[in-house]
Amino acid sequence: MKNYNITLLRGDGIGPEIVGEAVKVLDKTAEKFGFTVTYTDALLGGCAIDATGVPLPQETIDKCLASDSVLLGAVGGPKWDTQPGNNRPEAGLLGIRGALGLFANLRPAVIFEPLRDASPLRSDIIGDAMDIMIVRELTGGIYFGKRGTFEEDGVKAAYDTEKYNVNEIERIGRVAFDMAMKRNKKLTSVDKANVLDSSRLWRETMNRLSKEYPEVELNHLYVDNCAMQLVRNPKQFDVIVTSNIFGDILSDEASMISGSIGMLASASLNSSKLGMYEPIHGSAPDIAGLGIANPLATILSVAMMLRYSLDEPAAADAIENAVAEVLKTTRTPDIYTEGTKKVSTVEMGDAVCALIKKVIAYG
Ligand code: IPM
Ligand code: MG
């Protein structure tokens, strides 16, 4: 029987609770689909600072590199706010992205039909569905560029640098074009080419790449216009590809529009299919330990893992179908509406497990 080695980075706040439920669902799925999973725990973020003094111990990098895939809960919390910038939980997150070479960040922003009313946008703007895939470059740009703090004529100053080379733009571009080919063959590249040199290179490179993908319709938007278009008419978007910092901002905007922030998963991939999967929401320290966190985004992250790293698409479908089904009747407090059953984190995990089915395709 096939066995997959998964490193678990449970992290801080609600992280351990939601990862626990995702593991339960993965085990149930494995049992139905005939594979096994072996788990290794590793420390990242605040819990790593408490145990070792640093947010990303070398041992964590080694364990992740030795595994087939990585599942992350969430990191951070007020307890570590006083740490210096380079020793905060967030630095651990950036560090692991860099160390594993996770340059491609896939952030789907979808609306789950039973949660349609949760979108802050009017239903005529949202339409029947919203299904946007943001492809964010994750290991370059201003997050990883040269930076410093210095004195300028006796005044304190600081700088950060946005830099991309053609290879970095091409490899994220290919991920996005390939994604567009698998979806609706429509790709929007977002930049600030009216101001930034790095954006002009970005646009030039995307245009060149598009010749290799004649079936994909490529268009370009400036980031400010894109932010506006997302709330004016989100239906116009299918796949969006953009830089690290623009992707950070636009993916938060898109997730809010979907109204399903507690529901959204993400994948960060390197060039050899090793991936780190995580919910897009944070560690929610205010509700940690209360047993009320919504584990569905983490459970859906496991579905993405099965699809993108482990090549088990039928198992991924089974999880996604179970989540779609469970939402009709069962809700954690964050998505509760009258007429549904309000459940705890653990009860939600159990409810999803009970709905995992192996569908036999006929014909
Ligand atoms: C995200 C987060 C991180 C980022 C922070 C926590 C460093 O906002 O994953 O979007 O900016 O990339
Ligand atoms: Mg962000």
Side-chain angles (χ1 to χ4, degrees):
M1 209 186 280
K2 223 173 186 176
N3 180 65
Y4 300 112
N5 293 306
I6 308 293
T7 300
L8 300 176
L9 306 171
R10 296 175 197 264
D12 310 317
I14 60 170
E17 297 164 62
I18 54 181
V19 168
E21 296 316 299
V23 164
K24 206 158 81 184
V25 171
L26 181 54
D27 283 338
K28 181 78 188 183
T29 310
E31 183 193 306
K32 294 262 176 184
F33 284 79
F35 58 88
T36 54
V37 187
T38 312
Y39 302 97
T40 309
D41 268 277
L43 297 170
L44 180 75
C47 59
I49 298 174
D50 289 349
T52 71
V54 293
L56 174 59
Q58 181 61 41
E59 194 190 343
T60 294
I61 299 176
D62 296 341
K63 284 180 176 173
C64 290
L65 283 172
S67 60
D68 295 307
S69 206
V70 181
L71 182 65
L72 167 63
V75 297
K79 183 175 174 194
W80 304 282
D81 275 351
T82 48
Q83 290 282 331
N86 61 1
N87 210 53
R88 289 177 61 104
E90 292 83 354
L93 187 58
L94 297 184
I96 191 94
R97 289 173 181 170
L100 304 182
L102 307 172
F103 70 91
N105 185 209
L106 311 181
R107 296 192 166 186
V110 296
I111 289 189
F112 297 84
E113 180 49 35
L115 302 181
R116 257 184 78 164
D117 292 342
S119 172
L121 292 190
R122 285 199 319 261
S123 59
D124 60 310
I125 295 178
I126 285 292
D128 291 337
M130 170 178 167
D131 184 354
I132 300 175
M133 176 65 89
I134 298 189
V135 179
R136 169 190 178 192
E137 201 292 324
L138 203 60
T139 53
I142 200 162
Y143 275 60
F144 289 85
K146 264 202 200 128
R147 69 189 57 193
T149 305
F150 63 107
E151 246 187 48
E152 190 178 55
D153 306 326
V155 182
K156 199 169 180 189
Y159 71 99
D160 302 271
T161 324
E162 173 82 346
K163 185 208 72 155
Y164 274 108
N165 69 37
V166 170
N167 295 343
E168 290 170 312
I169 303 170
E170 260 187 36
R171 69 178 181 178
I172 192 69
R174 280 185 202 286
V175 171
F177 275 102
D178 288 339
M179 181 65 67
M181 282 301 288
K182 287 193 205 125
R183 292 170 51 110
N184 296 319
K185 301 186 175 162
K186 190 166 182 291
L187 175 62
T188 303
S189 173
V190 176
D191 61 35
K192 188 72 186 172
N194 50 347
V195 178
L196 304 176
D197 267 357
S198 52
S199 280
R200 285 189 272 272
L201 184 65
W202 182 279
R203 189 175 282 219
E204 185 187 304
T205 308
M206 290 296 167
N207 277 335
R208 182 156 33 74
L209 214 51
S210 82
K211 300 207 175 76
E212 291 176 36
Y213 297 85
E215 286 178 56
V216 176
E217 181 199 325
L218 170 71
N219 72 315
H220 302 276
L221 282 183
Y222 297 138
V223 62
D224 48 351
N225 187 15
C226 181
M228 196 170 76
Q229 296 296 334
L230 270 170
V231 287
R232 195 185 73 91
N233 177 19
K235 285 176 294 200
Q236 70 185 287
F237 296 107
D238 191 50
V239 181
I240 292 176
V241 63
T242 191
S243 65
N244 204 340
I245 191 159
F246 295 161
D248 177 45
I249 298 163
L250 293 176
S251 62
D252 262 25
E253 188 187 0
S255 67
M256 190 64 230
I257 293 169
S258 84
S260 303
I261 184 134
M263 298 290 306
L264 298 179
S266 77
S268 305
L269 306 173
N270 72 10
S271 43
S272 54
K273 262 176 115 181
L274 174 64
M276 185 168 85
Y277 297 81
E278 60 182 300
I280 67 156
H281 60 69
S283 60
D286 52 321
I287 59 160
L290 300 183
I292 56 169
N294 181 352
L296 292 176
T298 319
I299 291 170
L300 289 166
S301 299
V302 166
M304 287 189 92
M305 174 190 288
L306 289 163
R307 194 179 305 288
Y308 293 108
S309 285
L310 307 183
D311 226 356
E312 298 277 359
D317 286 346
I319 293 180
E320 285 164 1
N321 291 338
V323 169
E325 194 60 32
V326 88
L327 279 176
K328 292 181 188 162
T329 55
T330 311
R331 307 283 179 85
T332 41
D334 56 310
I335 50 173
Y336 173 75
T337 48
E338 222 172 291
T340 61
K341 183 174 169 211
K342 197 188 276 183
V343 298
S344 69
T345 309
V346 171
E347 287 167 332
M348 182 57 104
D350 291 339
V352 174
C353 282
L355 291 166
I356 298 288
K357 294 189 197 82
K358 184 165 179 178
V359 181
I360 317 280
Y362 292 99

